[in-house]
Structures are given as structure tokens and as C-alpha cells.
Amino acid sequence: MKQALATLAAATFMATPAAAHEWTLVIHGGAGTIERDRMTPERDAEIRAALDNALDTGAAILAEGGSALDAVEATIRVLEDDPNFNAGRGAVFTAAGRNELDASIMDGRTRDAGAVAGVTATRHPISLARAVMEDSPHVMMAAEGANAFSIEQELEQAPPEWFFTQERFDALQGWLNRDQAMGDPAHPDYKFGTVGAVALDSGGNLAAGTSTGGMTGKLYGRVGDSPIIGAGTYADNRACAVSATGAGEYYIREGVAHEICARIRFLGETPQEAADAVQAETLELGGTGGVIVLGADGDWAYSFNTPGMYRGAISDGEDGVVAIYGDE
């Protein structure tokens, strides 16, 4: 299976050609200052096991002929429940000491999409995003309105204690002590760790989804790229599916996810070519981060300009592969 190799100085990530597959699933668990000398062997193993678990969950659906949309939602739900990632349980804290969650999902077959921003009590924000897509006339709901809609849809609710982790709370205290409220949103101390998945099913349909707690110390009402269709998430059977992670302010301004799919659709670029080109353009604006991209033909790519990105992929007939560092 294809694997991306990060050359950080050049921000180039190369891969060998992918074989034809009936289905494929690619995931990420965030990009950032993920370095070997900062990672204990125990944490390394824990992250890899978590990524493997998420891949196995989505792969089981796709192997049974399930839809890309179902696989993406189920995969992200697993990552939302894992405190190693900045989504759902384990989400970072705002400057006010709250967990405010964003998510989005998109069906490449119909280009229907749903998103939520600033929700506080839904255990699985990705499922709420799907409910917005399928059970409302809207694409995005936010804050208390989204919370109320979640209850109406009888989605599982969770108290603040469910989302709390000591590591993320300690990160907020450190951030507050440094008084970075108006600081650079690309600073590594903002603790990026968004999760996402893109899938191609045996029917030839694509789907993408993304879920996040945002950035440590974000100000009241801040919304990043994760719930923005075309910025952090996009899927179109005519081109590709994309999920992004990183400095959302820059990914919104570039419209990263849609831009990548547009290059594939109209210029005939490969997922790797399109992802690297758009990443380079985004970096001219500033910020750090990465994307996972899955083409309509099953070709896929990672592209990121950080020391590492939690990531993995699996296709029919092959074992899953996971990676953490840029040189894997």
C-alpha cells in the first residue's frame, strides 16, 4: 500500500502508485509538533493502537458492502471517544474553560453536507452533523440551536465531565499563564489534534468527515475550518474526498478541501499533486497542518508541513498501515 514520506524542508510528500481497490479508508488524528523525542514508547503504541482500532471499525463496514458515509461516521465516532485526540472526549478547552465541538460530514454522491459548530453536550458531534444533513433543511447549525437539535434528534448527550481530560485542562492553564489570547493561531501550543476520515465504497461513492475541539484557548464564538464545507471537509464523486487538520484560519481563507478537489477535477492532477500544491499555497498565507485526500479512482495521499501527523489507511485485500512521524 502507498505510504507518504515527509520531507519537511521541502514540504513534499511522495508515495508509490496505488493498486486498484474496491474500497479504501484513510484517516487522520491531527498534525502538529509530533516528534519522536517527545513521544514515550507507551504513548507511541497507544496512538497506533487507537488508529488501528478506528481503521478496523470503518473497514468492517466497507468490507460488508456498506456505504462510505456510514464508514466515515463510524470511524470518527471511535476517534471522538478516544482521549488521545482533540475531538469529543479529549477536546481542548476554550479560553473560558469549556469544550466546544465542531464537526462536518459530506456525501460525495449527492454533495449533501451537514455541519455543527460550538456544540457542548453531544457525545458524537459527527453524528449530529449527519443529522443536520439528513434531518434538517440546513447545512450548518451552531451553539445552543445545534444543542437543541441534538436533543430533538435523540442523540446521546454527555455531561462536561465526559469531555474533560486532565492533559487538555493542564494545557489550558499553561496557555493562560502565557497570556496568548491574541497570539499566533499557528503556534504549536494551540494543540491541534482534529480527527478526520475519507472513504471510497464498493459502489464507487466517496464521503468525508472531520471532527474537532478546535484550538486551546480559542476565544468566544471562534469557529475553525473543520465544520466549514469546502475548507476542512469536502467530498465529490467527480473528484475526491478531503479532510484537513491544522490552522483553520488559513485553511478557511484558501478553501483548502474544495481547492484540492477542483485541481483534481479540472486539471487532472493526482491527489498527491493537488494536495501538495494547495498546501504550498496555504503556507504562503501562514499556518501549519495537513490533509488526507482520496480520489474517485482510489488513489490517495497525505500532505502535511508539520513534524508529524497521526494517520492511517486500509483497502480491501490489504492490511492497514498507520504512521505518526514525518519520516514514516
Side-chain angles (χ1 to χ4, degrees):
M1 177 176 286
K2 182 175 70 171
Q3 297 184 50
L5 301 176
T7 304
L8 297 175
T12 299
F13 310 95
M14 300 171 291
T16 57
H21 292 288
E22 289 187 4
W23 57 263
T24 295
L25 173 68
V26 186
I27 66 173
H28 71 76
T33 50
I34 303 167
E35 300 171 325
R36 292 180 190 277
D37 59 1
R38 295 189 178 192
M39 189 82 68
T40 66
E42 294 77 15
R43 183 65 180 271
D44 181 295
E46 191 173 315
I47 294 294
R48 292 179 192 274
L51 294 171
D52 278 331
N53 185 33
L55 284 178
D56 289 345
T57 298
I61 292 171
L62 294 169
E64 293 295 321
S67 72
L69 198 64
D70 286 345
V72 163
E73 180 188 7
T75 298
I76 291 177
R77 283 170 63 99
V78 170
L79 296 170
E80 287 175 335
D81 276 347
D82 194 308
N84 286 297
F85 305 104
N86 173 21
R89 189 179 198 187
V92 299
F93 286 83
T94 69
R98 289 158 48 94
N99 302 114
E100 296 181 358
L101 313 173
D102 305 336
S104 62
I105 195 165
M106 188 166 184
D107 185 343
R109 181 179 64 87
T110 61
R111 295 195 297 284
D112 288 338
V116 293
V119 300
T120 57
T122 302
R123 176 171 174 175
H124 293 114
I126 193 66
S127 296
L128 180 53
R130 185 168 180 178
V132 171
M133 178 179 74
E134 295 181 337
D135 300 314
S136 87
H138 307 305
V139 170
M140 178 181 284
M141 291 185 178
E144 292 309 313
N147 286 338
F149 183 70
S150 178
I151 293 171
E152 289 178 6
Q153 293 298 304
E154 300 182 347
L155 297 179
E156 183 176 358
Q157 305 298 294
E161 307 86 72
W162 168 255
F163 303 106
F164 178 95
T165 60
Q166 192 64 49
E167 179 182 2
R168 299 300 193 184
F169 187 72
D170 290 345
L172 173 65
Q173 304 316 303
W175 183 92
L176 291 171
N177 290 337
R178 287 190 292 270
D179 191 26
Q180 295 186 93
M182 299 304 293
D184 177 7
H187 195 283
D189 285 336
Y190 279 68
K191 308 297 182 188
F192 302 122
T194 297
V195 305
V198 292
L200 173 69
D201 62 34
S202 56
N205 297 310
L206 291 164
T210 311
S211 183
T212 190
M215 58 168 62
T216 298
K218 64 183 179 181
L219 298 182
Y220 40 80
R222 184 264 183 184
V223 177
D225 66 305
S226 295
I228 306 297
I229 301 303
T233 302
Y234 198 73
D236 182 346
N237 277 10
R238 299 171 298 180
C240 72
V242 179
S243 176
T245 173
E249 278 67 17
Y250 301 104
Y251 280 59
I252 292 170
R253 288 159 60 188
E254 186 69 14
V256 164
H258 183 273
E259 189 86 349
I260 290 171
C261 286
R263 294 183 73 102
I264 291 172
R265 182 182 173 200
F266 297 115
L267 298 181
E269 293 182 344
T270 66
Q272 196 70 64
E273 290 169 340
D276 287 346
V278 176
Q279 279 282 99
E281 291 173 357
T282 305
L283 301 182
E284 292 179 359
L285 302 177
T288 60
V291 294
I292 54 174
V293 184
L294 176 58
D297 62 356
D299 189 20
W300 57 267
Y302 309 119
S303 185
F304 53 98
N305 74 315
T306 53
M309 181 167 77
Y310 301 140
R311 59 201 189 275
I314 190 169
S315 297
D316 60 284
E318 296 185 359
D319 294 331
V321 58
V322 299
I324 294 178
Y325 313 108
D327 60 0
E328 292 185 81

